Amino acid sequence: MTRRAVVIGATGQIGRAAVGVLAREGWEVTAASRGGGRDESWPEDVRAARVDREDDAALAAVVGDGCDVLVDMVAYGPSHARQLTSLAGRVGSAVVVSSVSVYEDDKGRNFDTQDEPDGFPEYPVPLTEDQRTVRPGERSYSTRKAALERELLAAGAALPSTLLRAGAVHGPYCRSPRELYFVKRNLDGRTRRVLAHGGESRFHPASVHNIAELIRLAAARPGTRVLNAVDPDAPTVAEIARTVDAVMGVEREDVLVEGPPPAPGVGDTPWSVPAPVVCDMSAAARELGYRPVVRYADRLAETVASIEAQLAGRDWRDAYPKMAQAYGDLFDYAAEDAWLTA
């Protein structure tokens, strides 16, 4: 019997991979996105649909008479949770992407407090799904994801939902690729780079291919659960930098600084954190039989190629406006050179 899947946010970086995996598994897939586009790698029988997920009627229409699984890449907050649960009679189960940013440490510190003095969370290593989470609400990305989780989990058997807490997502088509920090420096011929925290920062990456594999498994095994979604390894920022170098065929010198960035705009990469964020994947293995399909380095070449293509002939701020908004000037070479000279 044909199984039907509806994927919301299908043309985003995770959605592209998930649609392809489900379609090749034999699912009849409707790929829903705001633009209604297709990815050239998808099988021809994937149906593309133009849907604004904020439009309840449009989303209900694309679900139609029903689907076996609804996969949602772009759900945030309680309103989206209620939108999904309103379809419970027509949807067999849901798989929804959440975030590790919902976690907080035992002192109440979380990603929302990280800019405060001593505000960065100190999580157990590895971090399991039993760790406490932030208070649900509308205040921030993290609190909205927590609210989304709470409402979907409360639906229980009415809409069995798997919540996937993704780490630092990487892969092609990312609008905020952390690897940009190293790729652009290499393209600009920078021979030295400063890394704060001794280059030992670890912020657990999550490949789109591993997340897609989790989606495939969860779609076939409906249930109400929360699972971490990260790669099998959590390399340090220095190891990530060297791996990017290897892909690009260059050698660079790392200048390691103990402690925080020594000056504004110096040594603070998008991967840099003062305490490790490293997640445990035992629950996914236990509940879904999950095994990772790639390691971080395995598909890095496609990520680098995607960044190089996006940068070609463009200012990086135009190529990645969300990165510029979130991180400010990632390439203040004058500040770096002044610090290195001093």
Side-chain angles (χ1 to χ4, degrees):
M1 185 173 66
T2 301
R3 299 171 296 176
R4 182 169 181 244
V6 173
V7 179
I8 306 171
T11 55
Q13 63 173 147
I14 302 174
R16 291 171 189 261
V19 168
V21 165
L22 291 171
R24 289 187 288 272
E25 184 80 357
W27 289 78
E28 178 185 295
V29 181
T30 298
S33 65
R34 184 174 297 176
R38 296 181 58 86
D39 188 274
E40 61 183 15
S41 69
W42 293 345
E44 291 184 1
D45 56 358
V46 170
R47 172 178 171 258
R50 186 188 301 271
V51 177
D52 183 346
R53 71 94 22 78
E54 301 298 336
D55 185 335
D56 294 353
L59 183 59
V62 81
V63 170
D65 294 335
C67 62
D68 297 284
V69 66
L70 190 154
V71 184
D72 196 341
M73 313 298 173
V74 289
Y76 302 98
S79 62
H80 286 169
R82 291 190 290 270
Q83 184 187 54
L84 296 178
T85 55
S86 72
L87 299 170
R90 288 184 280 166
V91 174
S93 69
V95 183
V96 180
V97 176
S98 186
S99 169
V100 298
S101 74
V102 300
Y103 290 123
E104 71 176 14
D105 72 8
D106 295 339
K107 295 182 179 180
R109 296 174 297 191
N110 51 67
F111 282 18
D112 290 342
T113 66
Q114 62 182 311
D115 293 331
E116 301 173 7
D118 191 34
F120 195 87
E122 294 184 9
Y123 298 124
V125 177
L127 182 59
T128 71
E129 293 86 349
D130 294 329
Q131 182 68 24
R132 61 191 268 185
T133 59
V134 299
R135 186 186 301 274
E138 294 282 2
R139 182 171 56 86
S140 69
Y141 173 89
S142 300
T143 62
R144 292 180 70 200
K145 282 291 192 183
L148 170 77
E149 288 189 1
R150 175 171 291 189
E151 295 224 11
L152 287 175
L153 293 174
L159 181 63
S161 298
T162 298
L163 284 302
L164 298 177
R165 290 174 176 164
V169 181
H170 63 97
Y173 306 104
C174 181
R175 289 187 292 175
S176 300
R178 290 173 173 83
E179 291 82 2
L180 172 68
Y181 187 88
F182 305 115
V183 173
K184 178 169 166 53
R185 276 174 168 73
N186 288 344
L187 292 174
D188 292 342
R190 301 289 294 180
T191 59
R192 306 171 76 192
R193 62 188 164 225
V194 183
L195 300 178
H197 308 295
E200 293 298 310
S201 295
R202 290 197 294 165
F203 185 6
H204 212 143
S207 167
V208 295
H209 303 292
N210 286 328
I211 299 174
E213 174 67 2
L214 285 162
I215 290 170
R216 181 187 75 84
L217 293 169
R221 300 186 185 185
T224 298
R225 56 174 81 93
V226 175
L227 299 173
N228 288 332
V230 293
D231 290 348
D233 44 0
T236 67
V237 65
E239 290 169 336
I240 289 172
R242 289 192 292 270
T243 306
V244 172
D245 293 348
V247 168
M248 299 182 72
V250 301
E251 292 186 9
R252 299 294 187 244
E253 177 189 354
D254 289 334
V255 179
L256 305 180
V257 178
E258 297 303 322
V266 180
D268 191 10
T269 83
W271 292 100
S272 297
V273 288
V277 181
V278 177
C279 297
D280 184 272
M281 288 298 292
S282 299
R286 183 173 60 251
E287 295 199 22
L288 299 179
Y290 168 73
R291 296 291 182 272
V293 295
V294 297
R295 305 186 78 87
Y296 177 76
D298 291 345
R299 303 295 288 267
L300 185 59
E302 65 181 1
T303 299
V304 171
S306 176
I307 294 171
E308 289 179 326
Q310 187 73 0
L311 287 175
R314 305 172 70 186
D315 184 281
W316 77 273
R317 298 173 186 83
D318 297 328
Y320 293 105
K322 286 189 65 177
M323 287 286 281
Q325 182 180 4
Y327 294 102
D329 190 356
L330 287 171
F331 306 101
D332 190 345
Y333 296 153
E336 290 179 2
D337 291 340
W339 184 84
L340 287 167
T341 300

